[in-house]
Amino acid sequence: MFKTKITEMLGIKHPIIGGTMMWISDADFVAAISNAGGLGVLASAIYQTREEFAAAIERVKALTDKPFAVNINLFPSMRPIDNNDYVDVLVEQGVKIVETSGHSAPVELCGRFKQAGMTWIHKCVGVRYAKKVEAMGADAVTVVGYENGGATGALDIGTLVLVPRVVEALGLPVIGGGGVSDGRGLLAMLALGAQGVIIGTRLLATKECPIHDNLKQALLAAGETDTMLVMRSIGATHRVWANEAAKKCAEIEAAGGGLEEVLSIVAGARAKAMFNQGKLDEGIISCGQGVGMVHDLPSVAELFERMIDQAARMHGAIKPA
């Protein structure tokens, strides 16, 4: 077992945070991650109304008595969201941990987090962004390197450089990610000074993940070269699985297509058809280079125990020369 500042701060067994994934990080999956000893993070942007969002939080609480978090999404979307409404729900539901992610720091919201006594984690991709939210009162910062699936930012800094740079620049606990798929990656993040790891791609290939088996099997067959960057032209760079939809998005961007044209390819309705019906080229799915190290479909609990065991065995095997 690895006890760190993050496990102590969040009250979790393992220093493993489940990356927030749109249309995937629902109540049941979040509860499975938390029950396995990690921190599940509910994607608030999945839910269309305050009532649906509140019901999702209530379901998480019904399925687990372990800590969980809720993500507030600050990225552009086809359906504008007033996040103040969603923070109202967090307060009403007594949510203890909130994660923010997006283009900018949540200047208008952070005071509300602190007033409600929430532990606030901000996810970003560079030292200057991390230092800004530290000054705003964040309790921890998550940084993910260029290998990461999902939002990568525009700095294109690899995990091995980004994580220690942020650790040495901040006085806050750092959660590191980008390419972490097993215990080797977990141990590497801790060696770089992180107090926990965030994983997303590896969780896609688990029994509890709510995506179609066709997609899980396709990800098992994918290699580390089967990802690509899209949405850079609209300032929302994401690393995704290189399927036909992703390639079409890249073509539109290369031809100078605008925001609406790009969003029509990456729209949530198309992603949901992919996730629910197994239509592999219908939409896009965030996917990191670590997919090349994904070879089976364990339960989330089995995955976490395997990661911890492998990290512990490797740590014990490392001897000074």
Side-chain angles (χ1 to χ4, degrees):
M1 184 180 295
F2 292 89
K3 288 189 176 295
T4 71
K5 292 178 181 178
I6 284 295
T7 61
E8 293 173 356
M9 175 185 291
L10 304 180
I12 56 180
K13 180 179 179 183
H14 304 311
I16 303 173
I17 285 74
T20 310
M21 296 178 279
M22 187 62 178
W23 307 117
I24 296 172
S25 297
D26 62 10
D28 290 56
F29 195 35
V30 165
I33 293 167
S34 290
N35 282 330
L39 183 75
V41 186
L42 184 71
S44 67
I46 292 176
Y47 303 99
Q48 304 293 307
T49 66
R50 286 178 54 143
E51 292 73 22
E52 290 179 359
F53 180 39
I57 294 174
E58 289 173 355
R59 179 160 178 80
V60 176
K61 291 192 288 188
L63 293 172
T64 184
D65 60 358
K66 303 294 193 297
F68 68 94
V70 174
N71 172 269
I72 297 294
N73 184 357
L74 306 172
F75 288 105
S77 70
M78 294 186 73
R79 178 178 63 87
I81 295 171
D82 184 346
N83 279 316
N84 267 298
D85 283 346
Y86 281 22
V87 174
D88 287 344
V89 176
L90 299 186
V91 174
E92 292 165 5
Q93 291 288 330
V95 172
K96 302 299 185 185
I97 306 169
V98 61
E99 175 195 70
T100 53
S101 57
H103 282 170
S104 58
V107 176
E108 298 180 356
L109 301 176
C110 63
R112 298 195 63 194
F113 301 154
K114 306 310 290 184
Q115 185 177 20
M118 298 177 194
T119 297
W120 169 34
I121 305 169
H122 185 69
K123 185 179 180 184
C124 56
V125 292
V127 171
R128 67 175 180 267
Y129 308 114
K131 289 177 71 69
K132 180 175 181 177
V133 295
E134 179 181 34
M136 291 167 57
D139 296 290
V141 169
T142 298
V143 291
V144 291
Y146 187 61
E147 302 95 321
N148 176 65
T152 66
L155 300 179
D156 299 349
I157 302 172
T159 303
L160 281 173
V161 173
L162 179 62
V163 173
R165 277 291 295 122
V166 173
V167 168
E168 66 187 19
L170 263 63
L172 300 178
V174 173
I175 300 161
V180 178
S181 297
D182 56 22
R184 294 172 296 182
L186 167 59
L187 186 59
M189 287 300 103
L190 298 179
L192 292 173
Q195 298 295 310
V197 300
I198 185 167
I199 62 173
T201 300
R202 185 61 187 91
L203 284 169
L204 294 172
T206 56
K207 292 176 181 177
E208 297 92 338
C209 184
I211 60 174
H212 199 281
D213 191 61
N214 288 354
L215 183 51
K216 292 182 184 182
Q217 293 303 321
L219 294 175
L220 288 180
E224 63 275 12
T225 60
D226 293 323
T227 72
M228 60 189 293
L229 300 179
V230 297
M231 296 191 281
R232 176 153 285 185
S233 67
I234 62 172
T237 308
H238 275 60
R239 184 178 297 282
V240 301
W241 178 44
N243 65 350
E244 291 304 313
K247 293 172 185 176
K248 177 64 175 176
C249 184
E251 290 173 6
I252 289 171
E253 293 185 81
L259 176 64
E260 289 189 9
E261 197 173 1
V262 171
L263 290 180
S264 71
I265 299 296
V266 304
R270 298 186 64 159
K272 284 195 286 186
M274 181 188 195
F275 300 160
N276 298 336
Q277 301 169 35
K279 297 180 178 180
L280 297 182
D281 292 310
E282 184 69 18
I284 66 166
I285 183 169
S286 295
C287 181
Q289 293 175 340
V291 71
M293 295 183 284
V294 177
H295 306 302
D296 64 353
L297 290 169
S299 69
V300 177
E302 289 168 343
L303 173 64
F304 287 1
E305 292 299 333
R306 180 195 304 173
M307 289 177 65
I308 294 296
D309 180 66
Q310 184 183 32
R313 285 187 288 105
M314 293 192 69
H315 182 260
I318 296 173
K319 306 292 183 184

